Amino acid sequence: MEINEDKVRGLATTVEGILTARRRLLPTVQREADEAADRRSDVERLVSLLRDLREMERDQAALQRIDGALDDLGNLLSSFEARAETLNALSVRFSRDTVNIGVSGEARVGKSTTLQKFSGLTDTQIPTGKGLPVTAVRSEIFNSADERAEVAFRDPSTFIAEYIHPLLQLVNRHLEMPIAIDSLAGLRSVTLPDKLGANVDSTSTDSLSRLLDAQRSIDTYDALLTGGVRQVGLDELRRYVAYPSKDELAAEQETGKPSNRAYIAVKSVKIFCGFPRLEGVKIGLVDLPGLGEIGASVAAMHLHGLEDGVDQIFPIMRPTEAEGYAKQGIASNIDHLRRIQPGIKRRGDLITAGINVTEGLGDSVDTLRGDFERKINSASSDRIEVLEYSAIDDSSVAALFGDLLDRISTRLPEMDNEVLAHALASAANEADVRETLEALNRTLTELLRLIPIPERILLRQIDRIASDLIHEYNAFEKKLDDEADEHSDWYAAFDADVDRIHQESADCIQDGFFMGRAQWESAARGQKDYYNWYRDEARRVRREIIAKYTGLDVFYDDQVTQFKNDIIRIFLDNTGRLAQKLHVSADGDPNSTIDGLAFEFAGTIQDGDLESALELLKDVTFSFRNNVFLQISSHLKELANPSESFKLVPGSSKEGKENIREVLGVVGNYEHQLGRLNDYLTRIATEANDAIRASLLQHDDRFHEYLSVSISFFNDFLYRKDEENFKHVVVRSLIAEYRDYILAEDTGVAIDSRKKELIDQIKTAIRDFSGEPDEASQPVASPARVKAPPAEAPAPSPRLKAPVSAPAPKPKPKPAAPPIERVVEAPASAPVAGSKIAGWNVAPNPRGGQ
């Protein structure tokens, strides 16, 4: 492209003037962007506070109102977020150091050749090819003395989301069982169909082809999915931006070895190099691949992020001897381009089409131009102008380049103003803000009416709760005291358990003394001294009997667990829905529940008597070993130290006593000695087992007496020591800390000082938006007493960042806006006069309207 020095200087001056003019808009954009960020932050703060309030609220009607306000604030938040995003993109647009021309078109229309002519670059920087699409990646080429390329890669998650999922969505429309791919590993392992069947649209088949290529060639690009940016030499650039060539595809088909498809990992490329014939001209060229290709998702992918990346778009068409009409690819290309930069009112200002003229095809050029006018321009008042040029002719391309820059110089200032106005208008309207504030303040006012509760009602509730607890704990103590002397259901269950263990022990004594008859006799036949073995066996049987009766530990454990849970249940049944708040129940592990209550109350009630009562309750335990051994030990003495004298069974042929040592020590009939040994052991073991049963059935363990004493001591610590302390420290503190949970069901009044603080905090936040603190508002209540958590307790939630009574920070000035109607509130709550959110005033309107 031949451009003389005067023309180059003129172009440089023109471009610099464009850039200087748009930079003057930057302060406005930045100011509005900062304001949008502040407004978004204000709404986020309100949303956060309302969510905290929702967690505290239990009234269903109030919850519905809070949810409605949250939905409205969510809409405002989305609007402000969109506005901030638009303004940030606009800031990038106005801060650019170059004027950018985007060039698009189908394959083989001369797009890459035109780019080379524009810039004076070579095939190294802008690859060309024959017969197939070449450029696979959106490339931005900037005129710069510093030669380098910056390749931006996707990371694995964005690769799946931006590249794989759009293709997969089109393919899945034709599959009975949709395919899911959510990771690189999933892409490797998934079974993709070879074909999609009959009568399938070309867009879907192209998408399947790209998925198959991505799977087949995954090893050529997966290491590049880093999400980073890599600087590469210009001579290495082609491998990152170009599709496989015809020869490479042929080799792939022949050998089965996949072609390099590094371009799949590439998000975009920026090329910095000198444009040989445009020294000093601050120009950028954006190569837009994919537009007009079969896959619509590919085009959308390449256009993403271009909202403010180009100043003029030049789609190229090229007729052939066989095709001289505006085919579907051209129309699709234009349709894609119409969707970007919606703030520009006329597409004809942003888009200028070109026809690449080939010598000898004049008729086809005329036909293509006419067809373009009929299909694209005839039905639209927004006409896209068409320029003719020859991509292989330097002077023709130079003239085209000059025309495009002239158009940019003429049209860009107006387009910049249009996109700025569009960005400034992309915000919530005043009616939305007013409605949101009114609904929010109505909800807050209704909640404020519920608090505080009068002291007389509070005292009545304290007396009720304390009296109910004292009455039920006294009744429970009386019940246990009575059961210590009476045969209750508990005794019947205990007696049944003792009878069961006694019978099991008796059966085991008869069956080889807990060894099994055959095994015991086998062991006996090997003994030489039956008397000493008899004494050893007696002690072993003693241990076995004790082991059997220690099974009562389970019974005692269950009863102690029930005892503790009954005490916990009495407490929870008389404190409203406190169990729901503290996430405890009277049906779980009581020791864990007691630990949880002790931890919670140590940070809220901090009463030594309550702490002692809980400690005592947790320490209640009862076991067979520790508490029953003493009562049954006398019945086990004979087994521990068997006497030598054995009383004969009354009525036998031989009366009186016999010496066991003599009987078992003489040499004689083996079976006779074994029988006598069995009789001796059976007699003393059975007598011990029967005696233990008799002792336990007399309830010598004193278990109920122990439980009765335990509840008596518990009650002493809890309230009998100082009943006034129990009422006005323990119960009052419980109500103060958990008011909604303890009182709401009985009084119909939800009173929670933390809720009031939070409501006041939200109202203060609304007033702060206006930048005009409400001088008439009354001082809010001071914060509730903050209790220190016990050692190693979790830190309190940071959501309430400052007490309501703290001085408000100096508000930032906000732009004035038309007033909206004042929110009318009942006298029970503080008014919100002169408030504003995100630049919209909330103020009285004497005329009652806008």
Side-chain angles (χ1 to χ4, degrees):
M1 182 177 69
E2 296 297 333
I3 303 179
N4 61 43
E5 292 182 1
D6 291 339
K7 182 65 173 177
V8 170
R9 283 194 295 271
L11 289 175
T13 301
T14 298
V15 170
E16 188 60 47
I18 294 171
L19 297 176
T20 300
R22 63 174 13 171
R23 286 194 192 101
R24 296 192 188 103
L25 300 175
L26 269 175
T28 299
V29 174
Q30 192 58 54
R31 182 173 62 251
E32 292 294 329
D34 292 342
E35 184 62 24
D38 289 343
R39 295 170 183 176
R40 180 178 60 189
S41 178
D42 289 341
V43 177
E44 288 173 342
R45 174 66 172 155
L46 268 184
V47 168
S48 176
L49 291 172
L50 274 176
R51 286 174 178 165
D52 290 345
L53 181 61
R54 195 189 190 289
E55 290 182 7
M56 296 182 183
E57 187 55 72
R58 293 297 176 269
D59 180 76
Q60 289 302 313
L63 282 171
Q64 291 178 3
R65 298 297 299 275
I66 293 175
D67 286 341
L70 281 171
D71 288 342
D72 292 340
L73 286 177
N75 292 334
L76 287 181
L77 187 60
S78 297
S79 178
F80 293 142
E81 287 174 344
R83 186 181 192 191
E85 186 174 305
T86 300
L87 288 166
N88 288 337
L90 204 57
S91 179
V92 173
R93 174 188 180 96
F94 293 163
S95 300
R96 276 196 276 109
D97 292 326
T98 57
V99 169
N100 293 344
I101 299 175
V103 181
S104 69
E106 297 178 275
R108 314 312 319 137
V109 298
K111 177 166 63 72
S112 297
T113 302
T114 301
L115 286 169
Q116 288 182 355
K117 291 292 184 181
F118 274 170
S119 61
L121 303 178
T122 67
D123 198 66
T124 298
Q125 295 89 7
I126 306 176
T128 60
K130 297 181 179 180
L132 290 171
V134 176
T135 312
V137 176
R138 188 180 81 210
S139 302
E140 298 172 64
I141 311 163
F142 301 100
N143 190 12
S144 171
D146 181 18
E147 292 197 351
R148 70 185 190 281
E150 293 178 355
V151 182
F153 297 97
R154 299 182 175 93
D155 59 32
S157 61
T158 55
F159 163 69
I160 295 295
E162 296 177 1
Y163 191 90
I164 296 298
H165 282 174
L167 300 173
L168 191 62
Q169 186 177 13
L170 295 173
V171 171
N172 277 337
R173 294 185 306 181
H174 305 280
L175 301 178
E176 291 184 3
M177 295 292 293
I179 296 171
I181 301 175
D182 296 313
S183 65
L184 283 174
L187 176 61
R188 286 182 182 274
S189 61
V190 72
T191 300
L192 295 171
D194 294 328
K195 300 183 182 299
L196 293 178
N199 196 27
V200 177
D201 61 280
S202 58
T203 300
S204 298
T205 57
D206 177 71
S207 296
L208 175 60
S209 176
R210 291 178 186 271
L211 283 174
L212 289 169
D213 286 343
Q215 185 184 56
R216 185 184 307 116
S217 303
I218 192 170
D219 288 333
T220 68
Y221 65 81
D222 63 339
L224 300 175
L225 293 170
T226 63
V229 177
R230 178 187 298 181
Q231 288 198 14
V232 302
L234 297 185
D235 56 342
E236 300 176 76
L237 189 58
R238 184 184 181 96
R239 70 180 292 263
Y240 294 106
V241 301
Y243 289 112
S245 66
K246 183 177 180 180
D247 292 339
E248 289 169 337
L249 291 175
E252 180 182 55
Q253 188 171 10
E254 180 178 346
T255 65
K257 181 179 180 181
S259 299
N260 171 64
R261 289 185 170 85
Y263 67 86
I264 293 179
V266 179
K267 186 173 186 178
S268 63
V269 172
K270 290 184 179 180
I271 303 170
F272 300 87
C273 56
F275 292 10
R277 302 178 183 90
L278 295 173
E279 183 177 356
V281 181
K282 295 180 179 179
I283 198 75
L285 302 173
V286 182
D287 187 358
L288 301 176
L291 304 187
E293 294 183 24
I294 294 175
S297 61
V298 178
M301 179 174 59
H302 290 307
L303 287 175
H304 179 70
L306 266 189
E307 297 304 310
D308 294 290
V310 293
D311 303 303
Q312 182 73 193
I313 301 176
F314 185 61
I316 300 173
M317 302 173 286
R318 183 182 184 184
T320 65
E321 291 181 352
E323 294 181 344
Y325 56 90
K327 55 186 179 179
Q328 179 58 39
I330 294 174
S332 177
N333 190 353
I334 297 299
D335 288 342
H336 283 303
L337 295 175
R338 285 185 185 277
R339 288 194 283 271
I340 69 171
Q341 299 189 25
I344 296 175
K345 296 179 180 179
R346 288 174 37 85
R347 295 293 94 184
D349 290 342
L350 178 63
I351 304 169
T352 301
I355 298 179
N356 182 9
V357 177
T358 301
E359 186 175 355
L361 296 180
D363 291 339
S364 294
V365 171
D366 292 338
T367 302
L368 175 58
R369 177 187 284 276
D371 200 39
F372 185 93
E373 291 293 335
R374 283 191 301 275
K375 292 180 178 178
I376 295 173
N377 280 339
S378 63
S380 174
S381 59
D382 186 4
R383 185 175 176 276
I384 295 174
E385 191 169 353
V386 180
L387 303 178
E388 296 179 13
Y389 78 105
S390 175
I392 60 174
D393 187 310
D394 286 347
S395 60
S396 177
V397 173
L400 170 67
F401 190 73
D403 285 343
L404 291 177
L405 284 179
D406 287 340
R407 290 170 183 271
I408 291 173
S409 177
T410 302
R411 301 174 180 177
L412 192 56
E414 181 61 24
M415 286 192 288
D416 283 345
N417 286 326
E418 288 175 353
V419 295
L420 176 59
H422 176 77
L424 297 183
S426 60
N429 59 48
E430 295 135 26
D432 291 336
V433 178
R434 181 178 63 251
E435 181 180 350
T436 301
L437 289 179
E438 289 174 347
L440 175 57
N441 276 278
R442 282 194 298 269
T443 299
L444 298 175
T445 299
E446 290 175 5
L447 293 177
L448 278 174
R449 289 193 186 108
L450 300 176
I451 51 179
I453 188 171
E455 180 69 11
R456 58 183 178 81
I457 296 178
L458 179 58
L459 289 174
R460 188 163 64 242
Q461 296 304 318
I462 290 173
D463 285 338
R464 175 186 62 82
I465 293 171
S467 297
D468 289 347
L469 284 169
I470 291 172
H471 170 74
E472 291 202 33
Y473 281 135
N474 280 333
F476 188 56
E477 180 180 341
K478 177 69 166 57
K479 173 178 177 290
L480 292 178
D481 187 58
D482 292 341
E483 288 179 349
D485 300 317
E486 299 174 0
H487 279 265
S488 64
D489 292 341
W490 182 91
Y491 281 101
F494 178 81
D495 291 351
D497 219 27
V498 170
D499 284 336
R500 176 185 58 79
I501 295 174
H502 171 265
Q503 186 59 49
E504 289 176 0
S505 298
D507 293 341
C508 289
I509 291 169
Q510 294 297 324
D511 185 24
F513 307 102
F514 298 89
M515 292 178 63
R517 174 59 56 182
Q519 185 176 351
W520 184 81
E521 290 183 356
S522 176
R525 291 179 191 279
Q527 302 298 323
K528 295 181 180 179
D529 183 351
Y530 279 112
Y531 174 73
N532 285 322
W533 192 65
Y534 158 74
R535 292 176 64 83
D536 291 339
E537 279 295 273
R539 296 185 184 101
R540 181 183 66 79
V541 170
R542 178 179 183 269
R543 294 193 300 271
E544 295 286 356
I545 292 174
I546 292 173
K548 277 290 184 182
Y549 281 96
T550 55
L552 289 172
D553 276 345
V554 175
F555 186 92
Y556 289 122
D557 287 344
D558 290 344
Q559 295 305 311
V560 169
T561 296
Q562 186 62 49
F563 167 80
K564 293 181 180 181
N565 279 338
D566 285 342
I567 292 177
I568 293 170
R569 182 175 291 106
I570 291 172
F571 175 78
L572 296 178
D573 286 349
N574 289 278
T575 50
R577 293 181 291 114
L578 185 60
Q580 176 184 338
K581 168 63 177 174
L582 302 183
H583 305 290
V584 296
S585 74
D587 298 316
D589 172 32
N591 287 344
S592 296
T593 302
I594 293 168
D595 284 340
L597 292 175
F599 178 86
E600 180 75 17
F601 296 157
T604 56
I605 299 176
Q606 298 178 333
D607 179 72
D609 291 342
L610 176 61
E611 181 179 352
S612 297
L614 292 173
E615 287 179 355
L616 182 145
L617 181 59
K618 184 181 178 183
D619 289 339
V620 171
T621 183
F622 196 97
S623 70
F624 178 89
R625 294 174 179 84
N626 297 336
N627 299 282
V628 185
F629 276 10
L630 182 62
Q631 280 72 33
I632 68 172
S633 61
S634 61
H635 311 304
L636 295 166
K637 286 181 179 180
E638 182 64 15
L639 284 170
N641 187 24
S643 64
E644 291 185 9
S645 178
F646 189 85
K647 186 176 181 180
L648 297 177
V649 178
S652 66
S653 58
K654 185 179 180 181
E655 296 183 355
K657 298 181 180 180
E658 60 183 27
N659 187 287
I660 299 174
R661 182 191 295 272
E662 293 177 355
V663 172
L664 298 180
V666 300
V667 177
N669 183 281
Y670 175 80
E671 296 297 331
H672 173 75
Q673 289 177 308
L674 188 62
R676 297 307 296 153
L677 176 62
N678 179 76
D679 290 344
Y680 297 152
L681 279 176
T682 300
R683 283 273 302 276
I684 63 172
T686 299
E687 287 174 358
N689 186 36
D690 292 346
I692 291 173
R693 174 182 177 273
S695 175
L696 290 176
L697 292 181
Q698 291 175 10
H699 305 105
D700 289 340
D701 57 2
R702 306 177 69 184
F703 178 65
H704 267 66
E705 184 179 350
Y706 171 70
L707 294 185
S708 176
V709 169
S710 295
I711 183 61
S712 175
F713 286 159
F714 174 85
N715 289 341
D716 286 344
F717 281 117
L718 185 64
Y719 60 85
R720 279 201 286 252
K721 174 185 174 184
D722 189 343
E723 188 171 319
E724 289 303 303
N725 179 80
F726 174 67
K727 284 185 177 181
H728 297 295
V729 173
V730 176
V731 178
R732 181 182 284 272
S733 295
L734 280 171
I735 293 175
E737 195 66 27
Y738 312 106
R739 292 178 178 180
D740 280 337
Y741 296 89
I742 294 178
L743 295 185
E745 294 179 347
D746 293 313
T747 65
V749 179
I751 54 171
D752 190 322
S753 59
R754 292 178 300 171
K755 184 190 297 183
K756 183 180 187 304
E757 285 183 4
L758 185 52
I759 292 173
D760 289 337
Q761 204 169 359
I762 298 172
K763 285 183 169 290
T764 300
I766 295 174
R767 290 195 299 270
D768 286 345
F769 289 170
S770 67
E772 301 171 1
D774 185 4
E775 300 294 340
S777 64
Q778 297 297 321
V780 297
S782 59
R785 176 170 59 97
V786 178
K787 291 92 176 176
E792 300 182 4
S797 171
R799 287 177 295 186
L800 302 182
K801 299 189 177 177
V804 179
S805 58
K810 183 177 180 180
K812 298 181 290 291
K814 308 278 179 127
I820 62 176
E821 186 176 350
R822 180 178 180 175
V823 178
V824 179
E825 298 185 336
S829 63
V832 189
S835 297
K836 180 181 72 169
I837 180 172
W840 286 271
N841 290 328
V842 183
N845 189 332
R847 293 176 294 180
Q850 292 284 352

